[in-house]
Amino acid sequence: MMRMISPIIFIFSLLLFSCHAAVQDFCVADLTAPDTPAGYACKKAANVTVDDFVFSGLGVAANTTGTFNKAAVTPAFVAQFPGVNGLGFSFARLDMEPGGVVPIHTHPGASEAILVLEGKITAGFVSSANTVYYKTLKKGDVFIFPQGLLHFQVNAGSTHVQVFVTFSSANPGLQILDLSLFSNDFPSELVAATSFLDIPQIKKLKAFFGGTG
Ligand SMILES: *[C@@H]1O[C@H](CO)[C@@H](O)[C@H](O)[C@H]1NC(C)=O
Ligand SMILES: *[C@@H]1O[C@H](CO)[C@@H](O)[C@H](O)[C@H]1NC(C)=O
């Protein structure tokens, strides 16, 4: 008897499993609903159009005029590109003028890959063992920044830089180290105590980055 029942139970559990495993084709973000750790809620299928799966903004250089770092990013994250919701990737374009720099920062939610399309950059990251991996890259080179690690890019040439960027999340997140330290009202004395920098330097950087305290 047991011999007969076991295969039947097995087949039933397979059927149950496949029902539970059935997935929706896509979950285009309903940007009117709040973002959550699991992404946005899905737009009603009847409201989804092909334009939810197309982002057209990466053909134009981002406007770097007036930026302190002579660089600008055009994001194609879920907020700009609802079709990537739940798919685990997103894109961006980085433009840098001569002297441009993307200050050291981290994306808590994503690994990143960059492809140099124009110009020459030095890109690098710091591991949690504080080893620095950096290299000067030219057109056609791809570099990866593992998830969560502090990284940077600088224009290493004398011409415009264009970089295509992809992330392993629809919403990679961003924390820029200098802004975290100097663009807020964290008291300078506490910044000094926790960073070992001296107060005049901290006050100078707070003035530059718009912090108080
Ligand atoms: C879907 O489209 C209808 C009609 O255009 C609109 O009233 C409704 O708010 C939309 N719903 C969502 C979830 O986008
Ligand atoms: C670029 O940004 C500057 C400063 O914000 C602005 O004055 C200028 O009009 C912008 N240029 C374009 C083409 O949008």
Side-chain angles (χ1 to χ4, degrees), residues 53-70:
F53 302 107
V54 177
F55 182 85
S56 295
L58 299 187
V60 182
N63 184 0
T64 59
T65 310
T67 57
F68 76 93
N69 55 337
K70 298 183 177 160

PDB file of all heavy atoms in Angstrom, residues 53-70:
ATOM      1  N   PHE A  53       8.691  49.424 -20.941  1.00  0.00           N
ATOM      2  CA  PHE A  53       9.870  48.567 -21.128  1.00  0.00           C
ATOM      3  C   PHE A  53      10.964  49.252 -21.951  1.00  0.00           C
ATOM      4  O   PHE A  53      11.912  48.607 -22.400  1.00  0.00           O
ATOM      5  CB  PHE A  53       9.453  47.245 -21.789  1.00  0.00           C
ATOM      6  CG  PHE A  53       8.419  46.491 -21.003  1.00  0.00           C
ATOM      7  CD1 PHE A  53       7.095  46.421 -21.431  1.00  0.00           C
ATOM      8  CD2 PHE A  53       8.753  45.875 -19.802  1.00  0.00           C
ATOM      9  CE1 PHE A  53       6.143  45.741 -20.695  1.00  0.00           C
ATOM     10  CE2 PHE A  53       7.798  45.200 -19.055  1.00  0.00           C
ATOM     11  CZ  PHE A  53       6.494  45.129 -19.495  1.00  0.00           C
ATOM     12  N   VAL A  54      10.787  50.533 -22.177  1.00  0.00           N
ATOM     13  CA  VAL A  54      11.748  51.298 -22.988  1.00  0.00           C
ATOM     14  C   VAL A  54      12.194  52.522 -22.203  1.00  0.00           C
ATOM     15  O   VAL A  54      11.360  53.205 -21.607  1.00  0.00           O
ATOM     16  CB  VAL A  54      11.092  51.772 -24.320  1.00  0.00           C
ATOM     17  CG1 VAL A  54      12.062  52.628 -25.114  1.00  0.00           C
ATOM     18  CG2 VAL A  54      10.614  50.584 -25.145  1.00  0.00           C
ATOM     19  N   PHE A  55      13.493  52.782 -22.180  1.00  0.00           N
ATOM     20  CA  PHE A  55      14.007  54.026 -21.603  1.00  0.00           C
ATOM     21  C   PHE A  55      14.835  54.698 -22.678  1.00  0.00           C
ATOM     22  O   PHE A  55      15.755  54.087 -23.223  1.00  0.00           O
ATOM     23  CB  PHE A  55      14.857  53.741 -20.354  1.00  0.00           C
ATOM     24  CG  PHE A  55      15.353  55.005 -19.701  1.00  0.00           C
ATOM     25  CD1 PHE A  55      14.558  55.686 -18.781  1.00  0.00           C
ATOM     26  CD2 PHE A  55      16.591  55.536 -20.021  1.00  0.00           C
ATOM     27  CE1 PHE A  55      15.000  56.870 -18.193  1.00  0.00           C
ATOM     28  CE2 PHE A  55      17.044  56.714 -19.442  1.00  0.00           C
ATOM     29  CZ  PHE A  55      16.245  57.382 -18.522  1.00  0.00           C
ATOM     30  N   SER A  56      14.523  55.941 -22.980  1.00  0.00           N
ATOM     31  CA  SER A  56      15.156  56.592 -24.135  1.00  0.00           C
ATOM     32  C   SER A  56      16.162  57.676 -23.782  1.00  0.00           C
ATOM     33  O   SER A  56      16.635  58.374 -24.651  1.00  0.00           O
ATOM     34  CB  SER A  56      14.078  57.187 -25.048  1.00  0.00           C
ATOM     35  OG  SER A  56      13.297  56.157 -25.583  1.00  0.00           O
ATOM     36  N   GLY A  57      16.497  57.811 -22.513  1.00  0.00           N
ATOM     37  CA  GLY A  57      17.301  58.969 -22.112  1.00  0.00           C
ATOM     38  C   GLY A  57      18.812  58.815 -22.149  1.00  0.00           C
ATOM     39  O   GLY A  57      19.525  59.736 -21.769  1.00  0.00           O
ATOM     40  N   LEU A  58      19.333  57.659 -22.585  1.00  0.00           N
ATOM     41  CA  LEU A  58      20.782  57.467 -22.433  1.00  0.00           C
ATOM     42  C   LEU A  58      21.585  57.907 -23.658  1.00  0.00           C
ATOM     43  O   LEU A  58      22.813  57.808 -23.667  1.00  0.00           O
ATOM     44  CB  LEU A  58      21.095  56.011 -22.078  1.00  0.00           C
ATOM     45  CG  LEU A  58      20.489  55.487 -20.764  1.00  0.00           C
ATOM     46  CD1 LEU A  58      21.017  54.100 -20.434  1.00  0.00           C
ATOM     47  CD2 LEU A  58      20.738  56.429 -19.594  1.00  0.00           C
ATOM     48  N   GLY A  59      20.909  58.422 -24.669  1.00  0.00           N
ATOM     49  CA  GLY A  59      21.609  58.863 -25.869  1.00  0.00           C
ATOM     50  C   GLY A  59      22.139  60.293 -25.770  1.00  0.00           C
ATOM     51  O   GLY A  59      22.843  60.755 -26.653  1.00  0.00           O
ATOM     52  N   VAL A  60      21.758  60.972 -24.697  1.00  0.00           N
ATOM     53  CA  VAL A  60      22.112  62.386 -24.541  1.00  0.00           C
ATOM     54  C   VAL A  60      23.018  62.540 -23.319  1.00  0.00           C
ATOM     55  O   VAL A  60      22.746  61.933 -22.274  1.00  0.00           O
ATOM     56  CB  VAL A  60      20.825  63.225 -24.342  1.00  0.00           C
ATOM     57  CG1 VAL A  60      21.156  64.708 -24.219  1.00  0.00           C
ATOM     58  CG2 VAL A  60      19.844  62.972 -25.472  1.00  0.00           C
ATOM     59  N   ALA A  61      24.074  63.362 -23.451  1.00  0.00           N
ATOM     60  CA  ALA A  61      24.972  63.589 -22.315  1.00  0.00           C
ATOM     61  C   ALA A  61      24.220  64.262 -21.176  1.00  0.00           C
ATOM     62  O   ALA A  61      23.412  65.165 -21.408  1.00  0.00           O
ATOM     63  CB  ALA A  61      26.150  64.447 -22.749  1.00  0.00           C
ATOM     64  N   ALA A  62      24.478  63.810 -19.953  1.00  0.00           N
ATOM     65  CA  ALA A  62      23.924  64.482 -18.774  1.00  0.00           C
ATOM     66  C   ALA A  62      24.570  65.865 -18.675  1.00  0.00           C
ATOM     67  O   ALA A  62      25.724  66.043 -19.060  1.00  0.00           O
ATOM     68  CB  ALA A  62      24.211  63.656 -17.529  1.00  0.00           C
ATOM     69  N   ASN A  63      23.831  66.822 -18.152  1.00  0.00           N
ATOM     70  CA  ASN A  63      24.308  68.212 -18.062  1.00  0.00           C
ATOM     71  C   ASN A  63      25.233  68.371 -16.850  1.00  0.00           C
ATOM     72  O   ASN A  63      24.794  68.335 -15.711  1.00  0.00           O
ATOM     73  CB  ASN A  63      23.072  69.118 -17.949  1.00  0.00           C
ATOM     74  CG  ASN A  63      23.429  70.589 -17.953  1.00  0.00           C
ATOM     75  OD1 ASN A  63      24.604  70.955 -18.044  1.00  0.00           O
ATOM     76  ND2 ASN A  63      22.402  71.439 -17.846  1.00  0.00           N
ATOM     77  N   THR A  64      26.507  68.572 -17.120  1.00  0.00           N
ATOM     78  CA  THR A  64      27.486  68.693 -16.026  1.00  0.00           C
ATOM     79  C   THR A  64      27.719  70.153 -15.616  1.00  0.00           C
ATOM     80  O   THR A  64      28.455  70.414 -14.662  1.00  0.00           O
ATOM     81  CB  THR A  64      28.850  68.097 -16.460  1.00  0.00           C
ATOM     82  OG1 THR A  64      29.294  68.804 -17.612  1.00  0.00           O
ATOM     83  CG2 THR A  64      28.751  66.621 -16.787  1.00  0.00           C
ATOM     84  N   THR A  65      27.082  71.080 -16.340  1.00  0.00           N
ATOM     85  CA  THR A  65      27.292  72.515 -16.054  1.00  0.00           C
ATOM     86  C   THR A  65      26.905  72.843 -14.615  1.00  0.00           C
ATOM     87  O   THR A  65      25.818  72.478 -14.164  1.00  0.00           O
ATOM     88  CB  THR A  65      26.440  73.387 -17.005  1.00  0.00           C
ATOM     89  OG1 THR A  65      26.668  72.944 -18.333  1.00  0.00           O
ATOM     90  CG2 THR A  65      26.805  74.864 -16.878  1.00  0.00           C
ATOM     91  N   GLY A  66      27.820  73.508 -13.912  1.00  0.00           N
ATOM     92  CA  GLY A  66      27.485  73.951 -12.558  1.00  0.00           C
ATOM     93  C   GLY A  66      27.612  72.880 -11.489  1.00  0.00           C
ATOM     94  O   GLY A  66      27.340  73.148 -10.323  1.00  0.00           O
ATOM     95  N   THR A  67      28.018  71.655 -11.859  1.00  0.00           N
ATOM     96  CA  THR A  67      28.200  70.627 -10.829  1.00  0.00           C
ATOM     97  C   THR A  67      29.587  70.813 -10.190  1.00  0.00           C
ATOM     98  O   THR A  67      30.541  71.172 -10.892  1.00  0.00           O
ATOM     99  CB  THR A  67      28.107  69.208 -11.432  1.00  0.00           C
ATOM    100  OG1 THR A  67      29.084  69.085 -12.468  1.00  0.00           O
ATOM    101  CG2 THR A  67      26.736  68.940 -12.015  1.00  0.00           C
ATOM    102  N   PHE A  68      29.695  70.587  -8.892  1.00  0.00           N
ATOM    103  CA  PHE A  68      30.989  70.803  -8.214  1.00  0.00           C
ATOM    104  C   PHE A  68      32.036  69.805  -8.680  1.00  0.00           C
ATOM    105  O   PHE A  68      33.237  70.051  -8.579  1.00  0.00           O
ATOM    106  CB  PHE A  68      30.821  70.744  -6.681  1.00  0.00           C
ATOM    107  CG  PHE A  68      30.667  69.355  -6.122  1.00  0.00           C
ATOM    108  CD1 PHE A  68      31.771  68.631  -5.673  1.00  0.00           C
ATOM    109  CD2 PHE A  68      29.417  68.757  -6.027  1.00  0.00           C
ATOM    110  CE1 PHE A  68      31.638  67.349  -5.146  1.00  0.00           C
ATOM    111  CE2 PHE A  68      29.271  67.475  -5.508  1.00  0.00           C
ATOM    112  CZ  PHE A  68      30.374  66.773  -5.075  1.00  0.00           C
ATOM    113  N   ASN A  69      31.582  68.668  -9.195  1.00  0.00           N
ATOM    114  CA  ASN A  69      32.503  67.582  -9.535  1.00  0.00           C
ATOM    115  C   ASN A  69      32.644  67.366 -11.035  1.00  0.00           C
ATOM    116  O   ASN A  69      33.246  66.378 -11.460  1.00  0.00           O
ATOM    117  CB  ASN A  69      32.044  66.286  -8.860  1.00  0.00           C
ATOM    118  CG  ASN A  69      30.611  65.932  -9.197  1.00  0.00           C
ATOM    119  OD1 ASN A  69      29.809  66.789  -9.556  1.00  0.00           O
ATOM    120  ND2 ASN A  69      30.275  64.676  -9.096  1.00  0.00           N
ATOM    121  N   LYS A  70      32.070  68.292 -11.841  1.00  0.00           N
ATOM    122  CA  LYS A  70      32.194  68.226 -13.306  1.00  0.00           C
ATOM    123  C   LYS A  70      31.766  66.862 -13.858  1.00  0.00           C
ATOM    124  O   LYS A  70      32.392  66.309 -14.773  1.00  0.00           O
ATOM    125  CB  LYS A  70      33.621  68.540 -13.753  1.00  0.00           C
ATOM    126  CG  LYS A  70      34.053  69.953 -13.377  1.00  0.00           C
ATOM    127  CD  LYS A  70      35.434  70.245 -13.900  1.00  0.00           C
ATOM    128  CE  LYS A  70      35.843  71.667 -13.583  1.00  0.00           C
ATOM    129  NZ  LYS A  70      37.286  71.856 -13.643  1.00  0.00           N
TER     130      LYS A  70
END
